[in-house]
C-alpha cells in the first residue's frame, strides 16, 4: 500500500506539470526571479526555507478535501508520518519535484516504516499490511524474474554492440542500387533535322545499371562533423541517337558511371548557432546537398526514377564540387540557403579553379506557411566556360561547337524558379515546379532562353504502409529562343549547321509513373515506366518508352 501511494503521488505531480504551465507569482527580493525556478539541492531543511513535519493533513492550508491527491497525502501524513510542509503551513503540491527531492522523500518514508516495524506498532503497520506485501512479492516473482532476465540480456547486447561498433565517433552508412531497364525501338530525325526519321536509336538492348555509395559521418565536436562519401557506378542508358539531340532525355537518377571508386563528398558541417549552419568542402558542395528540397520524396534511391523528376534542373546547374554554403532558419516556418561552388576547384589551369572556371552562386527561400504546404523560390547565377549548364537534363548545352576551333562559347546565366508541394491528405500530395534561364556570351550581343516545368502526384503508403506511388508529367529544359551571334545558336545549328537565331521546333514531354514496394526497412523494389514525346525537342522523332525495375538496399 505504501509503495502504491508513493507511486501514485509522484505520477500525479508529473501529470499536473505536463498538463498545464504552473507559475508561482511569489518572487525573491534578492534576485527578482520566480521562486519556483530556484531548485534546492535537497528536499530536507534549508537555512532559508525550512520544512516542518506535520501530523495532520489539515495543517496544510493549500490542501483541500476535494483535491485529487487528498487521500494519498492524508494516509502518508496521518498513518506513516513522512510528509513535511513549509513553515507557512503550505504543501505546494504543484511545485516541480526534483530527483533529489524524490529520493530524500522516499528514504524518509522508508526510514519511518522501518522504525514502525522495529517498534512493532501494530496499530499503524498491521500484520495484514505485511502479509499483503509478502503476497504481492510472491505473485509477481515470475514477472520480476522475467524482467531481470530481459535487463541482463539487454546489458549483454549493449556491451556487444559497444565492443564491435565501427567507431565511437564515425557512423558508416550507404546504399546499393541495381536497376534493369530497356527501351523500345525508335527512329529519330537527327542533324540535319529535315523531317526525315533517318537514324535508329542505338541503345534499345536491356542492360543493368548499378550504383554503390558509402558515407562516413565523423563527429568532430557536438556541433560539427566531417562528411565523406565514396561512389562507384557501372552501366548507363546510352548509346542513344548518333548526335547530341536527345543525349539527356532518358538519364536515370542513379546513372553515374565511374571507371573506379571515387570520392563524391568531402565537406565539413558546423552548426554555428541553433539557427545557422555552414557547409564547406572540396567535394559534394552542391545545391542538391545544400538546399532543402520541398519535394519530400526526392531520392534517386527510393523516389522517382529519372534524373529530371528529382528536382527542378535549375538546382542541378553547375554540378558544383567545392565551395561554401549556409543554411539560416531565420523564422519558425522560413529558412534561407545560399551557396557558392566551383565545378573544378582543384584544377589551377586557365578556365578552371575556384573562381575562374565554371562557378555557380545560388540562393533559395524556403517557406512552410502550414504543415501541409511547402514553397521554395530560388535564384541561380552561373558562369559556364563551355556553354554547358551541367544540368544533364534536356537542352543544357546552349552554344554550338565551333567547327574551326572545336570549342563552344562560354555563357553567363541567370535563372529563377519555384517549387510548390501540397500535402492534400496523409496519402496524397501534389506539387509543381517551373524554371526559366536567360544566358548570354560575355561581351557579345544576344541571349538564349530556356524554360522547364513539372507537375506531379505522390501517394505515400499506397496499398501498404511504407510503399510509394508517383505520377510525374513535365517538360525538360527547352531553348525557346536564341539570338546569339550567328554560328552559336544550337537549334538552327542542328537543323542546318549554320547556327542562326531561332528556338527549338518541337517540345519534349516526359511522363513517368512508378510504384515502390518497401519490402523491409532497408530493401525496396520499384518498377516504373517513362514515356518521352518528341525526344530532343524534335517533332519528327519517334516517341520513346523505357521500362525500369530498380532495387535498393540501404544501411
Amino acid at each position: 500500500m505504501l509503495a502504491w501511494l508513493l507511486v501514485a503521488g509522484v505520477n500525479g505531480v508529473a501529470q499536473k506539470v505536463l498538463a498545464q504551465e504552473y507559475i508561482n507569482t511569489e518572487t525573491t527580493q534578492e534576485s527578482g526571479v520566480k521562486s519556483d525556478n530556484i531548485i534546492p539541492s535537497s528536499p530536507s531543511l534549508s537555512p532559508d526555507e525550512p520544512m516542518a513535519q506535520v501530523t495532520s493533513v489539515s495543517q496544510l492550508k493549500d490542501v483541500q478535501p476535494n483535491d485529487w491527491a487528498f487521500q494519498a497525502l492524508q494516509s502518508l501524513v496521518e498513518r506513516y508520518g513522512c510528509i513535511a510542509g513549509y513553515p507557512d503551513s503550505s504543501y505546494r503540491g504543484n511545485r516541480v519535484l526534483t530527483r533529489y527531492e524524490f529520493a530524500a522523500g522516499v528514504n524518509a518514508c522508508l526510514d519511518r516504516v522501518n522504525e514502525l516495524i522495529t517498534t512493532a506498532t501494530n496499530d499503524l503497520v498491521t500484520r495484514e499490511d505485511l502479509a499483503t506485501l509478502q503476497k504481492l512479492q510472491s505473485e509477481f516473482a515470475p514477472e520480476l524474474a522475467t524482467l531481470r532476465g530481459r535487463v541482463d540480456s539487454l546489458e549483454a547486447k549493449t556491451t556487444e554492440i559497444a565492443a564491435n561498433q565501427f567507431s565511437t565517433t564515425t557512423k558508416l552508412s550507404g546504399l546499393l542500387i541495381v536497376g534493369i531497364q530497356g527501351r523500345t525501338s525508335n527512329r529519330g530525325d537527327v542533324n540535319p533535322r529535315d523531317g526525315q526519321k533517318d537514324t535508329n536509336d542505338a541503345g534499345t538492348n536491356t542492360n543493368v545499371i548499378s550504383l554503390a555509395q558509402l558515407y562516413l559521418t565523423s563527429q568532430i565536436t557536438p556541433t560539427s562533423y566531417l562528411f565523406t562519401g565514396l561512389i562507384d557506378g557501372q552501366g548507363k542508358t546510352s548509346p542513344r541517337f548518333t548526335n547530341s539531340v536527345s543525349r539527356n532525355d532518358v538519364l536515370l537518377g542513379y546513372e553515374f558511371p565511374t571507371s573506379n571508386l571515387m570520392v563524391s563528398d568531402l565537406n565539413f558541417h558546423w552548426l554555428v548557432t541553433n539557427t545557422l549552419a555552414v557547409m564547406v568542402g572540396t567535394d559534394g558542395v552542391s545545391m542538391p546537398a545544400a538546399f532543402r528540397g520541398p519535394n519530400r520524396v526526392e531520392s534517386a534511391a527510393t523516389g522517382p526514377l529519372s534524373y529530371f523528376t528529382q528536382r527542378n534542373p535549375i538546382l542541378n546547374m553547375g554540378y558544383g564540387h567545392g565551395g561554401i554554403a549556409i543554411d539560416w532558419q531565420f523564422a519558425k516556418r522560413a529558412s534561407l540557403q545560399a551557396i557558392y561552388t566551383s565545378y573544378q576547384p582543384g584544377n589551377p589551369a586557365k578556365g578552371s579553379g575556384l573562381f575562374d572556371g565554371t562557378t555557380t552562386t545560388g540562393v533559395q527561400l524556403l517557406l512552410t506557411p502550414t504543415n501541409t504546404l511547402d514553397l521554395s523560390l530560388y535564384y541561380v547565377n552561373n558562369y559556364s566556360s563551355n556553354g554547358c549548364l551541367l544540368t544533364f537534363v534536356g537542352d543544357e548545352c546552349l552554344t554550338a561547337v565551333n567547327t574551326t576551333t572545336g570549342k563552344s562559347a562560354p555563357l553567363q546565366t541567370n535563372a529563377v524558379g519555384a517549387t510548390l508541394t501540397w500535402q492534400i491528405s496523409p496519402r496524397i500530395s501534389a506539387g509543381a515546379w517551373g524554371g526559366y534561364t536567360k544566358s548570354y556570351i560575355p561581351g557579345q550581343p544576344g541571349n538564349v532562353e530556356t524554360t522547364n516545368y513539372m507537375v506531379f502526384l505522390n501517394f505515400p503508403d499506397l496499398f501498404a504502409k511504407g510503399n510509394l506511388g508517383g505520377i510525374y508529367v513535365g517538360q525538360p529544359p527547352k531553348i525557346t529562343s536564341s539570338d546569339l551571334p550567328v554560328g552559336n545558336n544550337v537549334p538552327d545549328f542542328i537543323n542546318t549547321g549554320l547556327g542562326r537565331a531561332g528556338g527549338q521546333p518541337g517540345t519534349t514531354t516526359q511522363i513517368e509513373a512508378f510504384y515502390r514496394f518497401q519490402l523491409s526497412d532497408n530493401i525496396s523494389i520499384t518498377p516504373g515506366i517513362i514515356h518521352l514525346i518528341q525526344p530532343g525537342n524534335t517533332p519528327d522523332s519517334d516517341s520513346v518508352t523505357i521500362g525500369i525495375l530498380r532495387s535498393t538496399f540501404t544501411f
Side-chain angles (χ1 to χ4, degrees), residues 4 119 128 130 153 177 193 247 265 315 318 337 413 437 470:
W4 183 88
T119 57
E128 287 77 6
L130 298 177
S153 176
I177 304 173
R193 286 190 295 199
R247 64 176 185 169
D265 296 270
L315 299 178
Q337 294 88 45
T413 300
T437 70

Side-chain angles (χ1 to χ4, degrees), residues 110-121:
L110 291 177
D111 287 345
R112 177 59 177 161
V113 170
N114 288 331
E115 178 185 345
L116 294 173
I117 292 174
T118 302
T119 57
T121 309

